[in-house]
Amino acid sequence: MSYLSLLITSRSGGLIFHTPLSPHTPPLQTNDWLRIGSTFHSLIAISKTATPTTTKEGITKVTCDNINISILSTPTGIKFYLVSDANVTNPPLNEIYAAWSDWVLKNPFYEIDMPVRGERFRREVERICGYTR
Amino acid sequence: MPNVIYDLLIYRRDGTCLYNRTFTSAVPPTVEKEEREKLVYGMLFSLKELLPSLSPTSTAPPTLKSINLPPLTLYTTTSPTGYTIVLHAAAAGSSHCDWDERLRKIYEVWTEKVVMCGMWDPNKEGGGVEDTEFDREICNVIRSWEK
């Protein structure tokens, strides 16, 4: 099992955190990550309108033949996107959310909806996903 | 738990919806039918554009198979000729292989009853397959899956 990357977007859809979690993660420019994060945010909003029934969460998982994208939409509007191999069955999104609460939200210098700069959260995410740089 | 099939949409390669059939209507639609068709296709198109950027560099570009939208799932496949089939369904206990087979079956019926039909114009505006042999056949197939 392997995780490829983690993205986090703010309430408005702006990318506030991204990190590679594998040496096979494609090397993208910062602008590419920003574009991906905002596009996903928009797609989740569109999916709530485009489905034939009501869905509160929108997209929670995208399944492809070789990768999966698991999405956690929190009540505060923050969204976590974890890209992983197709054989990953239980992505640790809740653990990552808990780490977010501990190492980002409880940081007195962190401003809500701003990009995350602290290394401690990144190291915690890498520990949860079993990645060693 | 029986499957619940909500609807089936089939698109041409340029995004025109050729077939849109609702089998189970859960809630009154909040957008117009044509608007919804465009939203669904646009969502899939945007996702397919993003996926190669996220997949490992050493593998082939990923093929989109399904999107989980609790309480239902969107299953999709694209034929080599560019027809995109989209099926909204709610099913517990079904594997992806089951749905790959089912989408393949829908494509077989589409090819047999529509593409190979000499009366159908593939470039005609709107498609026009709502009330035809294909429609009757696909309804029978869908109903058999819901049991």
Side-chain angles (χ1 to χ4, degrees):
Chain A
M1 282 199 298
S2 163
Y3 303 98
L4 291 164
S5 52
L6 172 72
L7 295 89
I8 304 175
T9 57
S10 65
R11 288 175 291 186
S12 55
L15 186 72
I16 54 178
F17 181 82
H18 70 92
T19 186
L21 295 170
S22 165
H24 302 294
T25 304
L28 299 176
Q29 302 293 323
T30 304
N31 282 341
D32 293 328
W33 287 112
L34 287 167
R35 179 176 54 85
I36 290 169
S38 58
T39 304
F40 265 122
H41 181 87
S42 304
L43 288 177
I44 291 174
I46 289 171
S47 68
K48 293 180 184 176
T49 308
T51 52
T53 181
T54 52
T55 170
K56 292 179 186 174
E57 301 163 72
I59 301 174
T60 57
K61 187 176 178 182
V62 176
T63 304
C64 306
D65 50 359
N66 60 349
I67 62 167
N68 288 346
I69 304 168
S70 304
I71 301 168
L72 174 65
S73 299
T74 69
T76 50
I78 305 289
K79 293 182 179 52
F80 296 80
Y81 309 86
L82 185 61
V83 185
S84 60
D85 283 343
N87 54 7
V88 169
T89 49
N90 287 317
L93 280 169
N94 287 326
E95 284 184 63
I96 293 172
Y97 186 28
W100 168 267
S101 299
D102 287 337
W103 298 106
V104 176
L105 296 183
K106 291 178 183 173
N107 180 351
F109 300 107
Y110 175 69
E111 290 182 51
I112 300 291
D113 292 341
M114 295 302 287
V116 176
R117 301 288 179 210
E119 268 301 303
R120 192 62 183 90
F121 174 65
R122 185 184 304 273
R123 288 205 302 270
E124 189 63 17
V125 167
E126 289 172 356
R127 183 195 66 78
I128 291 169
C129 297
Y131 175 55
T132 309
R133 269 195 259 176
Chain B
M1 180 179 153
N3 300 324
V4 178
I5 312 292
Y6 288 93
D7 59 17
L8 170 65
L9 298 96
I10 299 177
Y11 296 90
R12 202 161 51 198
R13 66 168 69 231
D14 63 357
T16 306
C17 186
L18 301 176
Y19 182 78
N20 182 352
R21 186 74 148 83
T22 300
F23 299 98
T24 305
S25 183
V27 294
T30 53
V31 293
E32 288 187 12
K33 184 180 171 186
E34 289 77 17
E35 183 73 20
R36 187 171 161 264
E37 290 167 2
K38 290 177 188 174
L39 285 175
V40 171
Y41 187 81
M43 185 173 70
L44 293 177
F45 184 84
S46 299
L47 257 180
K48 289 176 188 173
E49 291 278 291
L50 281 183
L51 292 175
S53 305
L54 294 170
S55 66
T57 48
S58 55
T59 62
T63 305
L64 179 62
K65 296 176 96 170
S66 69
I67 302 172
N68 283 40
L69 300 152
L72 55 85
T73 304
L74 182 157
Y75 298 96
T76 183
T77 187
T78 302
S79 75
T81 47
Y83 293 110
T84 299
I85 299 171
V86 177
L87 192 69
H88 285 103
S94 294
S95 70
H96 265 288
C97 295
D98 295 337
W99 290 102
D100 287 345
E101 282 301 313
R102 288 170 178 174
L103 291 173
R104 199 168 298 126
K105 175 66 180 174
I106 293 173
Y107 183 58
E108 281 175 13
V109 175
W110 172 263
T111 305
E112 182 187 333
K113 301 291 182 186
V114 178
V115 177
M116 293 173 125
C117 173
M119 305 295 291
W120 182 65
D121 179 4
N123 298 316
K124 178 186 169 187
E125 193 72 29
V129 295
E130 275 79 16
D131 187 24
T132 61
E133 184 66 29
F134 168 77
D135 186 56
R136 286 188 285 275
E137 179 68 22
I138 211 68
C139 284
N140 290 338
V141 169
I142 296 286
R143 295 294 175 215
S144 69
W145 293 341
E146 286 181 325
K147 291 176 187 167

